[in-house]
Every structure is written in structure tokens, then in C-alpha cells.
Amino acid sequence: MRYVIFGRQGAEAIESEFLNLVDLCPFLVADRDRYDDEAVYVMLKKHPHVASLRHSFRCGVGNNIRPLAVVIALGGSLKVIK
């Protein structure tokens, strides 16, 4: 991943990319299969602030919740959660 945009626009691009990784429905097998634990881990290592974002996920798992709750529901590894 390489970002050529800096400042707030760059932060929004990072946040958007992270949310694209985790805005999945844990109730759907296809979404659980699409979950990429390693990509989420790499994103969190590089940009830990994205774990504190609050988001209303498309699947209705909660309004204004932190993405790690969805990562857990998707079967995220302990490595990612730590």
C-alpha cells in the first residue's frame, strides 16, 4: 500500500481502505470467507488509529461500533485482536 495523498485526505483513504476490509457481515458465510485476517493485521500494525473508528456496518451488526467487534465476529485471530 502506498499513499501519495497526505493530510486529512490521506487519513480518509486509509480509514476507507480499512473499513472495506472489515465491513462484512459475520452472518454470511461468503463474507466470513472474504475476511482477510492478514490484511487486517497489516493495516492495524501500520495504522493503529483505525481500530478506534466507530462505524455503522452495512450488515446491521450495530450502529456506531468499533471495527474490532466485527473482526471478532468474523473469526479474527488473537494476533489481530491484540
Side-chain angles (χ1 to χ4, degrees):
M1 290 176 272
R2 196 175 93 183
Y3 298 98
V4 293
I5 302 172
F6 298 101
R8 185 66 203 146
Q9 289 177 333
E12 288 173 0
I14 292 165
E15 292 166 6
S16 176
E17 183 176 341
F18 178 69
L19 290 174
N20 284 335
L21 289 172
V22 298
D23 195 4
L24 302 169
C25 184
F27 309 117
L28 300 175
V29 173
D31 275 6
R32 286 194 310 265
D33 289 344
R34 270 189 27 215
Y35 171 72
D36 185 346
D37 199 60
E38 189 60 30
V40 172
Y41 176 74
V42 169
M43 179 65 82
L44 288 171
K45 285 299 273 186
K46 289 183 179 180
H47 310 285
H49 75 278
V50 297
S52 66
L53 299 174
R54 290 187 174 270
H55 183 66
S56 294
F57 289 87
R58 67 176 171 84
C59 163
V61 293
N63 292 326
N64 203 26
I65 63 171
R66 294 217 160 95
L68 287 182
V70 175
V71 169
I72 291 168
L74 288 165
S77 69
L78 188 56
K79 178 173 93 169
V80 170
I81 306 305
K82 285 184 176 183

